[in-house]
Amino acid sequence: MILPPLSLYIHLPWCERKCPYCDFNSHETDKLPEAEYLAALVADVRADAPMAYGRTVQSVFIGGGTPSLFSSAAIARLLEAVSNLLPLQTNAEITMEANPGSAEAGKFRGFRRAGVNRLSLGIQSFSDRHLQTLGRVHTGAQARAAIEMAHREFDNLNIDLMHGLPGQSTDEARNDLATAIDCSPTHLSWYQLTIEPNTRFFNNPPVLPRDDTLADIQACGEALLTTAGYSQYEVSAYSTLARRSAHNLNYWTFGDYLGIGAGAHGKITHPDGRIERYSKVRQPADYLAREAGNFIARKQAVPLQDLPGEFAMNALRLREGIDPELYSQRTRQDSQTFMATAQRLADRGLLLLEDGRMRATALGFLHLDSVIAEFFPDAPR
């Protein structure tokens, strides 16, 4: 069988301060165990390498936490190990997340020389008031300075920006987005703040904008991005021409990926057609204590009946939709059940099936979670 494309995710779980909205596997530290964690990551890559089945890794994403807390020398050694242990595609997209604090920004040149060719800056807002509410450790001025420094080293730059912040007006959200656009990133991840379980905001919820304000923010923001030449290709992803995230597109088209580091998740399609998900030991201390080659905490085959839902959960986030034949290619399953559900949703005006593509309508995007739920076996019929 033809196996799906393969990517690599590497998790660096430490940050200077845990933000009150963050539900990621991230941990505050004032003493980074850089050398120990790097050694564990290399051992983890070596242990997972056989799962690549000789496939070429098309993209690498180093996320966190705050990966830019690590030294550029450590990132260089990490990427050298990756290229030695895995068949890395020539000119593969290699993304690294970074915070715009002055200490991290001073390392940008070193990260570029280490092999990182795409930087993703966690700006979130340019307003000092909102940054303080979000628990960020940088200021709006530091954000602008970091973007300027990043442009000197990277020609592929993403900015993460939130909207729907506590107490945020439509004008404030628009000004934030306009400032980001003026900084000329090649890619913008512009998304609404949501309150997730196991966060400080969940336990002590802030007052968020009303639904009508959120709708106004979304509408004016999309118009602003379109006018500025950014194309929306996913629910919260906007890019200039030819600068879509190859790594994220692989997730959204149900590709495979290796997950390296504490709490990282992976998805692998085996030559016999089985699709397996796995996760690594979550707590950094436990991960570091594991013997080399024994980092996997959980592994489970995706049940065949869940494949339509798992595929739809990713693919229907894409604005342009997908070729329905991709379902059979990625899952090795007959598409009859999948397409029957798609047709029912199309009959209700939630999906559009035309010109060999399947995508959510405007109404479908407003109710995307409910649309996706229809593809899972326990959905009401």
Side-chain angles (χ1 to χ4, degrees):
M1 65 178 288
I2 299 175
L3 295 172
L6 180 67
S7 294
L8 171 66
Y9 176 78
I10 304 173
H11 193 68
L12 279 56
W14 289 282
C15 53
E16 184 177 342
R17 184 194 299 170
K18 181 82 170 180
C19 296
Y21 58 85
C22 179
D23 68 337
F24 295 158
N25 182 31
S26 59
H27 306 266
E28 293 185 8
T29 186
D30 55 5
K31 186 178 181 182
L32 199 66
E34 183 175 273
E36 296 88 344
Y37 195 67
L38 177 62
L41 288 175
V42 173
D44 201 353
V45 175
R46 183 176 291 110
D48 275 15
M51 290 194 287
Y53 302 118
R55 286 185 281 176
T56 301
V57 174
Q58 68 166 27
S59 65
V60 179
F61 195 103
I62 305 172
T66 306
S68 52
L69 291 178
F70 279 65
S71 69
S72 56
I75 299 300
R77 291 196 294 272
L78 174 61
L79 292 177
E80 181 182 16
V82 167
S83 63
N84 287 337
L85 294 168
L86 294 170
L88 192 60
Q89 177 180 300
T90 303
N91 298 323
E93 177 190 274
I94 301 177
T95 302
M96 180 175 170
E97 292 182 332
N99 273 354
S102 56
E104 293 99 312
K107 303 175 184 177
F108 289 172
R109 177 170 295 181
F111 294 144
R112 182 67 186 92
R113 290 176 176 174
V116 177
N117 55 31
R118 183 176 183 268
L119 198 69
S120 181
L121 283 176
I123 301 297
Q124 311 312 353
S125 177
F126 291 93
S127 162
D128 288 344
R129 177 172 67 89
H130 289 128
L131 287 169
Q132 186 174 17
T133 300
L134 294 173
R136 305 296 288 171
V137 297
H138 66 273
T139 65
Q142 287 176 320
R144 293 179 183 87
I147 293 169
E148 183 178 341
M149 294 176 70
H151 272 306
R152 295 175 195 156
E153 307 298 335
F154 295 90
D155 62 3
N156 198 358
L157 174 66
N158 172 66
I159 288 177
D160 272 0
L161 195 72
M162 285 184 180
H163 61 85
L165 308 180
Q168 187 179 49
S169 67
T170 301
D171 284 344
E172 287 175 323
R174 188 188 187 284
N175 289 339
D176 250 0
L177 183 56
T179 300
I181 290 171
D182 286 344
C183 292
S184 302
T186 51
H187 192 283
L188 267 160
S189 298
W190 185 63
Y191 52 96
Q192 183 180 320
L193 170 65
T194 56
I195 306 301
E196 303 289 349
N198 302 314
T199 65
R200 295 207 302 275
F201 272 178
F202 184 81
N203 295 322
N204 187 21
V207 178
L208 300 180
R210 294 159 52 103
D211 286 348
D212 56 349
T213 301
L214 294 173
D216 288 343
I217 290 172
Q218 188 70 39
C220 79
E222 289 180 1
L224 191 64
L225 286 157
T226 300
T227 301
Y230 288 88
S231 172
Q232 183 183 20
Y233 67 99
E234 188 266 345
V235 171
S236 59
Y238 302 77
S239 74
T240 55
L241 188 64
R243 290 299 193 176
R244 297 179 174 186
S245 168
H247 189 86
N248 288 337
L249 278 170
N250 191 44
Y251 289 152
W252 296 324
T253 55
F254 212 55
D256 284 352
Y257 49 96
L258 300 174
I260 303 300
H265 290 249
K267 168 187 170 286
I268 289 293
T269 303
H270 294 276
D272 62 7
R274 286 179 301 116
I275 297 176
E276 202 166 48
R277 293 192 181 276
Y278 66 92
S279 59
K280 299 297 173 63
V281 175
R282 181 177 175 84
Q283 292 298 321
D286 296 337
Y287 177 85
L288 288 170
R290 285 292 182 109
E291 295 180 4
N294 189 29
F295 297 104
I296 293 178
R298 186 170 181 270
K299 185 185 291 188
Q300 183 178 18
V302 179
L304 295 182
Q305 65 268 25
D306 285 349
L307 286 174
E310 291 238 1
F311 180 86
M313 185 166 54
N314 292 278
L316 290 182
R317 294 179 63 89
L318 295 170
R319 278 289 186 179
E320 297 172 357
I322 49 95
D323 180 345
E325 287 299 312
L326 188 65
Y327 172 76
S328 295
Q329 294 173 23
R330 291 288 191 263
T331 66
R332 313 309 297 173
Q333 300 299 308
D334 183 88
S335 63
Q336 183 176 354
T337 299
F338 180 79
M339 291 308 300
T341 302
Q343 187 60 60
R344 285 197 302 271
L345 290 163
D347 292 342
R348 291 158 54 189
L350 298 169
L351 290 185
L352 191 64
L353 300 171
E354 65 177 13
D355 300 326
R357 307 288 294 178
M358 181 182 82
R359 63 179 177 84
T361 62
L363 180 63
F365 262 106
L366 287 175
H367 304 281
L368 193 56
D369 287 346
S370 297
V371 169
I372 291 168
E374 295 273 348
F375 286 90
F376 282 95
D378 56 353
R381 295 288 184 260

